[in-house]
Amino acid sequence: MQRGTRIAAIAALGLGVAACATPTTVTPVRTTPLDEVLVIGDDYARLGYIVNAGDDLTVRFYYNPQLDEDLRVRPDGKISLALIGDIQAAGKIPDALSRDITTAYRAHLNRPNAVVIVRRFASARAFVAGEVQKPGQLDMQQQSQTVLQGIAAAGGVTDSATLEQVVVLRRVSNWPEPLVFQLNLLRALDGTDPKQNVLLLPNDLVYVPRSGIADVNLAMRQYIFNNLNLSTSAGITYGLK
């Protein structure tokens, strides 16, 4: 039985059971207005990239190049440097980490002036699911991408897809709860509302629904929460069942 047929059968069975059972209240998914999403995204961009465990860093010293090091952030979020030992790296933007290293080296060097460069981003990925040709993980290490570019990288949409109610699930570092918002990408494609084609952030999940699903709550229940394992222990990861 094909996946779509299985979902339809399960849905029909659920409706039959519901008719005989006491009605239950389903808490709707709270969606965030796009204008608010764009403000949060701008704030995130201004803050800059936050270092994560697994990132590859280069620490350079302008006046003491013999101390330059290439390092990988350990699972505990720390890196080890000559003379000062362990220092916390994960959770900081590169500029803040550069300042912390410079301060720590002042006890040993006259002009430490350290700078941190992120060579490889361990968590620079997004996810595209639903009615696309190749659902799965999207590598974002090379360049910023928009939602439409992410869908194109997933092979484009299927014949049964709609771009009018694309759902994005987003978790932003230090933000209290996940953001769920809806995009009308047809308006971005015809040029009437380009802001609908938002820039992807690391760990975004983009869901392209089937044509006819106009309710974002229905889309979320039918796919995202029923077919994915969500883990938020350190950022957010998604595993397809």
Side-chain angles (χ1 to χ4, degrees):
M1 186 183 293
Q2 293 184 346
R3 184 181 182 85
T5 305
R6 290 203 306 271
I7 292 175
I10 292 171
L13 177 61
L15 290 173
V17 172
C20 302
T22 302
T24 58
T25 301
V26 177
T27 302
V29 177
R30 190 181 76 83
T31 58
T32 304
L34 181 56
D35 287 343
E36 183 179 337
V37 170
L38 294 174
V39 169
I40 294 170
D42 288 344
D43 289 343
Y44 183 90
R46 281 194 292 270
L47 177 63
Y49 179 77
I50 297 174
V51 174
N52 288 283
D55 285 353
D56 288 336
L57 310 178
T58 292
V59 182
R60 288 182 179 166
F61 296 85
Y62 289 120
Y63 302 105
N64 303 91
Q66 72 277 10
L67 295 174
D68 290 357
E69 292 194 60
D70 291 335
L71 304 155
R72 176 165 293 177
V73 182
R74 302 195 311 246
D76 63 1
K78 297 181 179 180
I79 56 175
S80 294
L81 293 166
L83 302 181
I84 65 170
D86 288 354
I87 188 168
Q88 182 68 30
K92 300 176 181 178
I93 63 173
D95 284 350
L97 180 56
S98 300
R99 290 193 296 271
D100 289 349
I101 294 173
T102 296
T103 299
Y105 267 93
R106 281 179 182 150
H108 306 280
L109 303 173
N110 290 328
R111 295 187 295 175
N113 295 100
V115 61
V116 173
I117 301 167
V118 183
R119 299 194 325 275
R120 189 186 69 87
F121 305 96
S123 62
R125 62 193 185 276
F127 303 84
V128 184
E131 298 299 310
V132 292
Q133 300 291 345
K134 297 183 292 184
Q137 181 171 306
L138 174 65
D139 184 3
M140 296 175 60
Q141 294 182 13
Q142 302 303 319
Q143 60 181 356
S144 298
Q145 297 187 58
T146 65
V147 172
L148 279 172
Q149 288 173 325
I151 292 173
V157 298
T158 65
D159 292 340
S160 58
T162 176
L163 290 175
E164 291 184 277
Q165 295 98 21
V166 173
V167 180
V168 179
L169 178 68
R170 170 173 294 178
R171 183 173 290 277
V172 179
S173 299
N174 300 321
W175 204 257
E177 61 183 11
L179 304 177
V180 178
F181 54 98
Q182 197 169 9
L183 302 172
N184 185 341
L185 295 179
L186 291 182
R187 294 173 63 190
L189 286 169
D190 66 18
T192 57
D193 190 6
K195 72 179 181 181
Q196 296 285 329
N197 187 25
V198 302
L199 281 174
L200 289 170
L201 296 184
N203 294 318
D204 276 358
L205 186 147
V206 178
Y207 172 64
V208 180
R210 297 192 314 273
S211 180
I213 297 184
D215 183 357
V216 63
N217 291 285
L218 178 60
M220 295 289 286
R221 288 197 301 272
Q222 283 192 346
Y223 191 86
I224 293 178
F225 291 124
N226 292 340
N227 292 273
L228 298 178
N229 289 323
L230 304 184
S231 171
T232 60
S233 58
I236 187 166
T237 56
Y238 308 89
L240 288 173
K241 285 185 178 180

